[in-house]
Amino acid sequence: MIKESEIRPNELMKGQAERHAADVVRLLKHKDNFVTVPCPACGSEDSHRIYEKYGIQFVICNDCETNYASPRPRPEHLDEYYSHSENYAYWNQYIFPASESARREKIFKPRVQKVLNICKRFNVPTNTLLEVGAGFGIFCEEIQKTNVFSRVIGVEPTPDLAETCRKRGLEIIEKPIEQINFGKEPINVITNFEVIEHLFSPKEFILKCYELLVDGGIFILTCPNSKGFDILTLGDKSSAVDNEHLNLFNVNSLTRLLENCGFEVIESQTPGRLDAELVRNQILSKSFDISHQPFLKYILIDASEIQREAFQDFLSANNLSSNMLLVARKP
């Protein structure tokens, strides 16, 4: 069972919060130029406001129930934000190195096996894999070690992270996927983990990935699930709700978007393992009041660790975790 403190070391999070706050201040300098957008999943303009966090307003689509930021920063604001982010530089220098072992063993090695199993189950050729949002480079490094794919390419537009990936000996392209032309490179698999929620235009991103994949190629992505336990329970107190997560889809709305872009969704699941602990930690820190919610108090505070793990297993198995994984195929 993974613990939040293993991937976000407590002693480093105060420094992270300070740097994130500085990033938010820089982003909000552009607030007067933010742009109102329709639902990123279904295109509907029928929505209502749900909350504001870090100076960003969130609405929920009245059609597909996607939560999303509107008005939102323009693409040029986001490019500037990520290129000069103190927060990402801090993660790269301190948090990722301190948590690398736990992330490698409990997140990335299982993720590599999941991707390989998906390829095997759906008979996907393994010539080239492209990871969009390579981050600290652990996934690319681990899947390269298996020697299953002839070529592994990472796309990472954040300069500090791209340099870290290069130091690991990875093939990295330091620009947004929308600006890349691979020519006739036969890309069989595109993976992106916790990327799509950050994008100004998820549809444009998905269409680009569709274009790059060969026929029969697969697109594997993970992102927050707005209908998962910790987001539904905590609302704007959830760590998944922040100034960077512009798009909080649910399983149905993201499936709809992928299908509208030409993909066939062949698998969906919510494999998240942290929902119960994330809510529990908010309760213990007195950031979330459960005085009128006796069941939450029992299952998250009073129950045994075995019972909490069983509760998390139930959430994960029934599309109720706040982290989801979808697999889509290009026909």
Side-chain angles (χ1 to χ4, degrees), residues 37 47-51 57-61 66-71:
V37 297
S47 65
H48 64 272
R49 186 179 183 276
I50 45 176
Y51 40 66
Q57 178 177 285
F58 288 84
V59 301
I60 183 168
C61 175
T66 293
N67 299 357
Y68 63 99
S70 183

Side-chain angles (χ1 to χ4, degrees), residues 192-203 205-206 219 221-224 244 246-247 249 254 257-258:
N192 55 113
F193 307 112
E194 288 77 57
V195 170
I196 199 166
E197 64 269 28
H198 294 259
L199 304 178
F200 178 84
S201 177
K203 185 173 184 178
F205 167 71
I206 292 171
F219 183 63
L221 73 160
T222 64
C223 65
E244 296 180 10
L246 307 178
N247 316 292
F249 299 103
L254 187 52
L257 175 58
L258 288 163

Side-chain angles (χ1 to χ4, degrees), residues 32-287:
D32 288 345
N33 292 313
F34 285 5
V35 58
T36 299
V37 297
C39 175
C42 70
S44 172
E45 296 185 0
D46 183 15
S47 65
H48 64 272
R49 186 179 183 276
I50 45 176
Y51 40 66
E52 182 173 306
K53 189 172 183 181
Y54 299 127
I56 304 291
Q57 178 177 285
F58 288 84
V59 301
I60 183 168
C61 175
N62 290 331
D63 185 354
C64 71
E65 299 185 281
T66 293
N67 299 357
Y68 63 99
S70 183
R72 65 177 52 189
R74 297 175 185 268
E76 58 268 28
H77 303 152
L78 296 172
D79 289 345
E80 177 189 280
Y81 177 88
Y82 289 111
S83 296
H84 300 90
S85 171
E86 292 181 32
N87 182 35
Y88 278 81
Y90 186 84
W91 275 83
N92 187 48
Q93 186 174 357
Y94 298 106
I95 299 177
F96 281 139
S99 61
E100 178 174 349
S101 178
R103 288 173 179 271
R104 186 181 297 275
E105 294 301 320
K106 296 189 176 184
I107 297 176
F108 290 102
K109 285 186 177 180
R111 187 173 279 174
V112 164
Q113 287 307 310
K114 184 165 292 202
V115 169
L116 296 181
N117 289 341
I118 289 168
C119 291
K120 186 175 181 180
R121 282 192 287 115
F122 295 108
N123 298 312
V124 180
T126 53
N127 300 310
T128 301
L129 178 142
L130 177 71
E131 183 188 14
V132 184
F136 201 54
I138 303 176
F139 175 80
C140 281
E141 192 174 56
E142 286 297 326
I143 204 156
Q144 201 163 259
K145 286 178 186 176
T146 68
N147 294 315
V148 171
F149 285 88
S150 303
R151 186 181 182 192
V152 174
I153 308 168
V155 172
E156 180 47 67
T158 303
D160 287 344
L161 294 173
E163 182 58 25
T164 295
C165 289
R166 289 192 199 97
K167 287 178 179 177
R168 292 183 184 273
L170 302 172
E171 181 181 352
I172 291 293
I173 300 172
E174 191 181 325
K175 59 173 68 171
I177 187 73
E178 292 84 355
Q179 299 174 17
I180 298 172
N181 182 2
F182 287 97
K184 295 184 179 180
E185 176 73 30
I187 298 175
N188 307 102
V189 178
I190 294 178
T191 62
N192 55 113
F193 307 112
E194 288 77 57
V195 170
I196 199 166
E197 64 269 28
H198 294 259
L199 304 178
F200 178 84
S201 177
K203 185 173 184 178
E204 181 182 346
F205 167 71
I206 292 171
L207 288 171
K208 179 65 176 183
C209 291
Y210 184 92
E211 172 195 321
L212 294 174
L213 280 168
V214 298
D215 292 349
I218 60 170
F219 183 63
I220 303 171
L221 73 160
T222 64
C223 65
N225 169 26
S226 65
K227 289 194 172 184
F229 177 72
D230 89 71
I231 296 178
L232 281 180
T233 303
L234 297 174
D236 63 349
K237 291 182 173 63
S238 168
S239 59
V241 178
D242 68 21
N243 61 294
E244 296 180 10
H245 291 176
L246 307 178
N247 316 292
L248 294 171
F249 299 103
N250 55 66
V251 173
N252 290 336
S253 70
L254 187 52
T255 296
R256 182 170 171 176
L257 175 58
L258 288 163
E259 290 176 345
N260 285 341
C261 290
F263 280 106
E264 172 196 6
V265 175
I266 54 179
E267 186 165 299
S268 63
Q269 53 184 268
T270 63
R273 303 302 306 165
L274 282 173
D275 300 75
E277 188 190 358
L278 290 170
V279 178
R280 173 181 163 85
N281 288 345
Q282 290 280 0
I283 296 166
L284 293 175
S285 69
K286 302 190 185 308
S287 299

